[in-house]
Amino acid sequence: MRRTSILLAAVCLALAGCSSGEEPEKKTVTVTATVTPTPTATPSLSQAETKHQCSIAVAEAAPGWEDWNYSPGEWQEDPRTPEVCLGLANEEWPPDGNRAFMDALIDGLDMADHPHAD
């Protein structure tokens, strides 16, 4: 019994020493973050601005075109389509994008004074 009391007292003292109520020592951790600069996004143009730039690009490119068979639904994949015109595509409602491109195409041909514009 005496042995049990001594053992119990030792355990209690050990536990009391572990939870002395003092704050545990705080360690300072330094974190170094590497920031990778992101490329600046090109400001998006309005539909009207994109259409106008597309017309200009068509006017510049049109004199070199020999084949005028543009498919209204496949103009995005056509290698003759100026890159700026791809901004006219409308994924939610493709007919709107198709119409916007065809309008820009005709305007561009007018600017170039090309016979296919009529």
Side-chain angles (χ1 to χ4, degrees):
M1 174 91 164
R2 189 168 195 202
R3 200 183 245 180
T4 307
S5 300
I6 293 173
L7 185 59
L8 185 59
V11 170
C12 288
L13 288 174
L15 289 176
C18 289
S19 60
S20 63
E22 293 178 22
E23 289 288 321
E25 182 180 327
K26 293 183 180 178
K27 295 182 180 180
T28 304
V29 177
T30 304
V31 177
T32 305
T34 304
V35 178
T36 306
T38 56
T40 335
T42 317
S44 60
L45 300 173
S46 71
Q47 180 81 358
E49 291 168 328
T50 303
K51 190 173 171 182
H52 179 70
Q53 287 188 2
C54 178
S55 296
I56 292 170
V58 166
E60 292 171 356
W65 291 347
E66 292 182 24
D67 180 14
W68 284 91
N69 293 320
Y70 252 104
S71 173
E74 297 174 5
W75 60 272
Q76 295 174 41
E77 290 82 28
D78 195 305
R80 295 171 295 160
T81 302
E83 189 173 332
V84 69
C85 298
L86 297 177
L88 296 172
N90 184 335
E91 299 299 322
E92 292 177 19
W93 186 245
D96 282 349
N98 296 344
R99 177 61 191 228
F101 174 71
M102 291 300 146
D103 289 345
L105 178 67
I106 298 300
D107 291 345
L109 294 175
D110 279 340
M111 288 177 178
D113 198 26
H114 198 281
H116 286 98
D118 295 327

